Amino acid sequence: MPAKSAAQQKAAGAALAAKRGDLKKSELRGASKSMEKSMSERELEKMASTSRKGKPEHVSKH
C-alpha cells in the first residue's frame, strides 16, 4: 500500500529502520511506533519507498 502523505512515508521509513535494527525501537513515537508493531517488513518497505513528489505533507482525517 503506497503512502498517502509525506508524513506517512517518513513514519514508515522510521518504523522500517527500527524493524531492521538500524534504529532503537525506544526512539519511535506516534505513528511510526504503531506501524512497527502492526506491519510486516514488506508492507513497510512498500510504504516507505513511495515517492514524496506531489504528496501533501499531511492528509486530513475527513
Side-chain angles (χ1 to χ4, degrees), residues 24-40:
K24 292 180 184 176
K25 290 182 183 184
S26 62
E27 293 178 13
L28 296 178
R29 294 180 307 225
S32 58
K33 191 173 195 174
S34 62
M35 283 179 168
E36 191 277 327
K37 289 179 182 176
S38 65
M39 297 175 77
S40 70

